[in-house]
Amino acid sequence: MLLIRSSVGRKIIMAVTGQLMVLFVILHVAGNMTIYFDLINAYAEKLHAFPPIVWSYRIIMITVVLTHIVFGLILKIENLLSNPHGYVIKQSIRKTFASETMIWSGAFIALFIVYHLFHFTVQSINPELSARLNTDAMGRPDVMNMLVGNFQIASIGLFYVSGMIALLLHLSHGVQSSFQTLGLNSEKSIPIIVKAGKLAAFLIFVAYVSIPILIMVGLMDL
Amino acid sequence: MDLSLFVWRQQAPDVQGEMVAYSAKGISEDMSFLEMLDVVNEGLISNGEVPIAFDHDCREGICGTCSQVINGVPHGPMERTTVCQLHMRNFKDGDTIFIEPLRAKAFPILKDLIVDRGALDRIIQEGGYISVHTGGVPDANSVLISRKDAETAMDASECIGCGACVAACPNGSAMLFTASKVSHLAALPQGKIEADQRVRSMTNAMKKEQFGNCSNHYECNAVCPKGVKISFIAKLNREFIKSMISGDSSD
Ligand code: HEM
Ligand code: FES
């Protein structure tokens, strides 16, 4: 199939799966924000109320993530083979640290996702804090307790912050790149999309890290 | 002015090359970079040494033959300037200058600074044409083209096929080159007939010739002597998506 074989087709797959994940990441962080209204347990309970929806959502996301990883690796390997450069001196003019390290920020995000799923979905890491085992006064899984208990452990809090730094890097190049790949760009829009992409990456980053950081420094408690 | 040069010397495609030090003495600031190399070569020849091989033709910035990588930048430090149009007044007395060939998997080095850019020609052969009736010369303006489309096509057609974009790209990709050719013809009514086929064939040829994939680093545009815009890469991507939706799916 053209989409899978062609260089441009593969890039389009990266951009579409990338944008779907950006959408997911935004919905996810919006959900996280319920913590500031003391609603996180209620939100978590509603979210999981209807298992068929939860599972379809999960299957779609797993497919999207795996597709993105597989094609990201294919593109990266091809790119390395196309460029045995070996310039004695090479100056870069426009590429950025973020654009150069997509594969590494991506790899760290993949590691983060695996940890995160075992941590807060399967809840097999620090099971004594598991929300499923500890319910709140209303009998709901106590997500708040799980978050606070875990993020008070500095190594865990810092790992989450570093995961989000990787996401910040990945998206500060990825968002604008995906618009260019999908052809949704013009000479006028390019500088705007580059800036807006970085801003979006930054806002997502701040929203995510605010929770572990506030808990680590003790400003958020049970 | 006097300069010290480090130049890539490589006798043949399969021989290991290396940087060799030369000094260029008594260079006038009015010389072009290629004239400076001519002076060095005259010195080499009179000493019975083999001159530095480099590509050049028009020496007026329109043929795209003269690409070299100067201090790590294809075509050197001046924006929108080919090596032949780069003047020595952009350098200072005592400067050290590194000169290397364009490097990419798709551009095998033939000798010293000369690389084989035939891969770009083969991309062109895959779709850089339009279908027209042969015979009598058509009347002028028999096909009307809006000013906007004419300008777009002109901007895209500025590409001189020098290969600097490939040499600058961390992925050795020829996207800016291919995008300029695809966009040039897709913008014009005469090019619409083969538009779907063209974007597919040319991007396939790009892959077959072992150019890398575009990661939107935009290094290509930064070194392009004609300033070909990266919005043409977006246009190529649009043409590709259009061809997937509307084109026949035989390949
Ligand atoms: C799970 C591990 C991940 C890996 C291994 C990975 C890898 C990559 C790589 C290598 C690229 C660059 C492709 C290229 O050079 O053309 C890329 C692009 C991108 N990634 Fe990821 N990524 C991952 C996760 C994510 C996540 C979680 C998001 C969004 C929240 C994301 C969004 C994007 C976007 C928007 C692009 C730009 C697509 C384009 O260039 O058109 N990625 N990814
Ligand atoms: S020699 Fe023709 S462009 Fe430089």
Side-chain angles (χ1 to χ4, degrees):
Chain A
M1 212 166 75
L2 193 59
L3 193 62
I4 294 176
R5 272 190 300 109
S6 151
S7 163
V8 182
R10 289 174 178 176
K11 283 289 308 187
I12 291 169
I13 294 176
M14 285 307 279
V16 170
T17 52
Q19 289 202 346
L20 286 173
M21 285 190 285
V22 172
L23 208 64
F24 168 79
V25 156
I26 292 173
L27 290 176
H28 186 319
V29 82
N32 292 1
M33 293 300 100
T34 56
I35 200 169
Y36 292 112
F37 307 95
D38 246 338
L39 289 170
I40 191 118
N41 288 358
Y43 163 69
E45 195 190 26
K46 289 257 162 20
L47 194 64
H48 297 103
F50 196 55
I53 293 194
V54 177
W55 277 102
S56 339
Y57 200 53
R58 284 177 180 164
I59 289 168
I60 293 172
M61 281 319 296
I62 288 173
T63 315
V64 165
V65 172
L66 290 182
T67 309
H68 189 83
I69 293 179
V70 168
F71 282 94
L73 285 173
I74 293 177
L75 289 171
K76 183 67 195 174
I77 291 168
E78 284 179 346
N79 291 345
L80 286 174
L81 293 176
S82 295
N83 175 26
H85 261 177
Y87 282 113
V88 176
I89 290 193
K90 180 74 168 58
Q91 285 184 45
S92 320
I93 303 172
R94 274 181 78 174
K95 74 175 188 213
T96 58
F97 178 72
S99 75
E100 243 179 324
T101 53
M102 288 301 272
I103 193 72
W104 301 113
S105 53
F108 195 81
I109 295 171
L111 182 78
F112 175 85
I113 294 174
V114 172
Y115 182 88
H116 184 52
L117 287 178
F118 278 110
H119 195 196
F120 288 157
T121 305
V122 182
Q123 300 176 6
S124 57
I125 296 168
N126 296 338
E128 68 285 0
L129 292 164
S130 160
R132 240 174 266 122
L133 301 180
N134 305 288
T135 48
D136 66 5
M138 292 173 69
R140 300 173 302 202
D142 199 347
V143 176
M144 188 64 188
N145 176 61
M146 177 170 76
L147 293 178
V148 172
N150 274 291
F151 288 145
Q152 278 174 345
I153 305 166
S155 56
I156 292 185
L158 290 176
F159 178 68
Y160 271 74
V161 173
S162 26
M164 292 306 102
I165 292 176
L167 185 65
L168 170 67
L169 275 175
H170 205 73
L171 293 189
S172 66
H173 174 71
V175 172
Q176 68 85 15
S177 179
S178 66
F179 278 88
Q180 172 81 355
T181 302
L182 295 175
L184 304 170
N185 232 349
S186 71
E187 214 44 44
K188 264 192 214 135
S189 72
I190 287 168
I192 302 169
I193 290 181
V194 167
K195 282 202 196 81
K198 286 187 182 149
L199 180 68
F202 184 72
L203 291 177
I204 291 172
F205 169 75
V206 170
Y208 271 115
V209 293
S210 63
I211 297 169
I213 288 181
L214 288 178
I215 292 174
M216 272 194 288
V217 300
L219 286 175
M220 190 188 286
D221 214 329
L222 284 176
Chain B
M1 62 176 111
D2 297 341
L3 304 159
S4 10
L5 307 182
F6 286 88
V7 184
W8 185 261
R9 299 302 307 260
Q10 178 171 339
Q11 283 175 358
D14 304 323
V15 180
Q16 178 59 42
E18 56 174 349
M19 296 300 269
V20 177
Y22 297 97
S23 54
K25 292 211 160 56
I27 301 298
S28 145
E29 62 171 22
D30 296 328
M31 283 181 184
S32 75
F33 200 82
L34 296 186
E35 284 163 341
M36 181 275 291
L37 284 179
D38 291 338
V39 171
V40 174
N41 273 348
E42 275 164 23
L44 289 177
I45 291 166
S46 61
N47 285 344
E49 291 176 52
V50 183
I52 301 162
F54 61 90
D55 255 339
H56 61 107
D57 189 12
C58 70
R59 295 209 177 192
E60 50 189 26
I62 53 175
C63 74
T65 314
C66 60
S67 309
Q68 302 173 6
V69 177
I70 299 169
N71 288 338
V73 182
H75 290 298
M78 275 283 282
E79 261 181 51
R80 293 208 181 195
T81 309
T82 55
V83 176
C84 58
Q85 293 287 296
L86 176 69
H87 284 91
M88 295 314 294
R89 66 182 75 96
N90 294 297
F91 298 90
K92 293 189 311 288
D93 184 45
D95 273 0
T96 301
I97 305 176
F98 287 78
I99 312 172
E100 295 180 63
L102 305 182
R103 294 187 198 269
K105 180 73 185 288
F107 288 168
I109 297 178
L110 298 177
K111 190 173 188 212
D112 298 345
L113 303 175
I114 300 181
V115 300
D116 178 0
R117 282 169 288 183
L120 296 183
D121 297 335
R122 292 188 287 276
I123 294 178
I124 291 279
Q125 281 159 13
E126 284 299 318
Y129 55 83
I130 56 166
S131 297
V132 287
H133 286 296
T134 53
V137 180
D139 288 337
N141 296 329
S142 56
V143 180
L144 297 179
I145 302 168
S146 74
R147 184 183 158 84
K148 188 168 147 278
D149 291 343
E151 291 289 342
T152 306
M154 273 300 269
D155 284 351
S157 71
E158 277 206 60
C159 169
I160 55 176
C162 65
C165 46
V166 178
C169 177
N171 306 341
S173 169
M175 267 297 254
L176 191 63
F177 169 82
T178 311
S180 78
K181 304 303 169 191
V182 166
S183 304
H184 167 201
L185 295 177
L188 298 171
Q190 293 93 330
K192 292 276 195 289
I193 304 165
E194 289 98 354
D196 284 341
Q197 193 51 47
R198 179 182 304 116
V199 64
R200 292 175 184 203
S201 315
M202 290 182 89
T203 49
N204 283 343
M206 196 173 81
K207 186 147 180 286
K208 203 171 118 227
E209 296 293 343
Q210 297 186 295
F211 290 105
N213 311 289
C214 177
S215 288
N216 301 323
H217 294 295
Y218 309 141
E219 284 292 312
C220 49
N221 164 264
V223 301
C224 177
K226 300 296 157 183
V228 171
K229 297 171 191 149
I230 49 170
S231 53
F232 289 124
I233 295 180
K235 185 165 169 64
L236 176 145
N237 294 334
R238 280 199 297 282
E239 289 294 323
F240 187 89
I241 293 170
K242 254 196 276 174
S243 96
M244 276 199 305
I245 295 167
S246 68
D248 85 83
S249 51
S250 57
D251 57 357

